[in-house]
Amino acid sequence: MAGAAGKLRVRSRGAVRGATSEPTLVRWALTAVALAFLGFFLFLPVVVVFIEALKDGLSGYWRAITAPDAVAAIELTLTTALIAVPLNLVFGVAAAWAIARFEFTGKSLLVTLIDLPFAVSPVISGMIFVLLFGAQGVFGPWFIEHDLRVIFDRPGIILATTFVTFPFVARELIPFLESQGADEEHAALSLGASGWSMFFRITLPNAKWGLLYGVVLCNARAMGEFGAVSVVSGHIRGQTNTMPLHVEVLYNEFHFSAAFAVASLLVLLALLTLVVKRVIEHRAQREAAPELAPTAKAGAQ
């Protein structure tokens, strides 16, 4: 009986292998098409950016990225990210925990609203803040009376960036928390742990990889955001231009080498994001492997 079952398993594997295998020519053709697509639409543009950035040599590259306007754009981009990402981190953790752990009226509406920035164009997002805080907006006159500026200043840029990036942390955390369940949290509470102690010692450590992944994606989007920031910034050179906006200004003024030099910093940021993303995924897989091993062994028996 065991021998028959073993033969059946061998035949099943062979059948699956035969059903999913393709002729060598087809596999090579599909691989060639995929590599050609990646080379033309991904690798070639990246190479062109660095070639154009170094067109005036290393000295020209250094002058471009250390020019006063470029330094101001880099500083504003970093400042915006340093404020927007922690805000989204707090909101994302709170929203993900509420959605994954509780049932309440309006839960489906909250999930829908989290995805709103994905559905709305960034330019429209910027227009919303202009209608709210502009000189003729809903709250604009009040801010003008109190000598406060939101639109065409840093607060508007931070608000717009926070809005377009707030789904990233929540959307990465929700599946993690739902897949882990609440058994460990209930056990900690039954043993006398407080709610905050349970949250910081059980919930967050279990979801740390999803949390880091969401923060990395949120930070990358915050530094590279163009549409919403372009609407609310006013394009004031040296004051409200972030790195993407500064690249646009340089390119429109035909300073191509300088524009590509600043753009190369954004490309390096994107590459660094991919590296960090891959490291996080690898560490998460390694950490999950020992947990899956007993389950796989029990299934084999």
Side-chain angles (χ1 to χ4, degrees):
M1 193 74 174
K7 290 179 181 179
L8 182 59
R9 281 197 296 270
V10 172
R11 287 175 183 170
S12 299
R13 291 191 194 120
V16 172
R17 193 178 299 116
T20 57
S21 63
E22 298 291 344
T24 304
L25 181 60
V26 174
R27 293 202 302 269
W28 279 102
L30 292 174
T31 303
V33 170
L35 291 176
F37 186 87
L38 288 174
F40 186 78
F41 288 101
L42 182 62
F43 298 115
L44 184 60
V46 171
V47 171
V48 169
V49 167
F50 285 100
I51 290 176
E52 292 293 328
L54 296 171
K55 206 167 187 179
D56 294 336
L58 290 175
S59 60
Y61 181 87
W62 181 251
R63 284 196 305 272
I65 64 175
T66 57
D69 290 343
V71 172
I74 294 171
E75 183 269 333
L76 178 57
T77 302
L78 294 176
T79 302
T80 302
L82 286 174
I83 296 175
V85 173
L87 289 175
N88 285 321
L89 176 61
V90 174
F91 166 80
V93 171
W97 195 25
I99 292 170
R101 293 291 183 264
F102 305 105
E103 293 295 332
F104 53 90
T105 303
K107 179 177 178 179
S108 59
L109 177 62
L110 177 59
V111 175
T112 302
L113 291 177
I114 289 175
D115 291 333
L116 184 63
F118 289 147
V120 177
S121 167
V123 174
I124 302 301
S125 302
M127 290 294 297
I128 292 173
F129 287 101
V130 172
L131 293 175
L132 287 175
F133 301 108
Q136 306 300 323
V138 177
F139 306 110
W142 185 88
F143 279 97
I144 293 175
E145 288 177 6
H146 292 79
D147 197 26
L148 298 174
R149 292 183 59 184
V150 177
I151 302 302
F152 305 151
D153 208 339
R154 294 193 174 200
I157 295 172
I158 294 170
L159 284 173
T161 303
T162 303
F163 176 81
V164 298
T165 57
F166 81 76
F168 288 95
V169 176
R171 267 299 168 196
E172 292 300 325
L173 272 182
I174 291 172
F176 266 79
L177 294 177
E178 289 179 340
S179 64
Q180 289 167 357
D183 293 341
E184 294 184 28
E185 297 172 359
H186 292 160
L189 292 175
S190 66
L191 292 174
S194 65
W196 286 111
S197 178
M198 175 271 296
F199 180 75
F200 285 108
R201 295 190 178 191
I202 304 295
T203 305
L204 283 186
N206 286 344
K208 61 183 177 182
W209 298 120
L211 184 64
L212 289 173
Y213 191 42
V215 168
V216 168
L217 294 180
C218 181
N219 181 70
R221 177 64 188 272
M223 289 190 177
E225 175 56 31
F226 178 84
V229 172
S230 178
V231 174
V232 301
S233 70
H235 292 267
I236 304 173
R237 189 190 292 268
Q239 296 184 34
T240 63
N241 274 351
T242 58
M243 290 170 66
L245 299 183
H246 186 57
V247 170
E248 182 195 30
V249 169
L250 291 174
Y251 193 86
N252 289 338
E253 293 178 351
F254 304 103
H255 300 306
F256 299 126
S257 181
F260 280 105
V262 179
S264 70
L265 299 179
L266 293 172
V267 173
L268 290 174
L269 171 66
L271 295 176
L272 178 61
T273 301
L274 291 176
V275 171
V276 174
K277 170 180 172 292
R278 182 63 191 126
V279 170
I280 292 174
E281 289 175 345
H282 180 66
R283 293 290 298 275
Q285 290 170 358
R286 286 183 58 186
E287 191 171 287
E291 300 176 359
L292 295 176
T295 305
K297 187 181 292 184
Q301 292 175 352

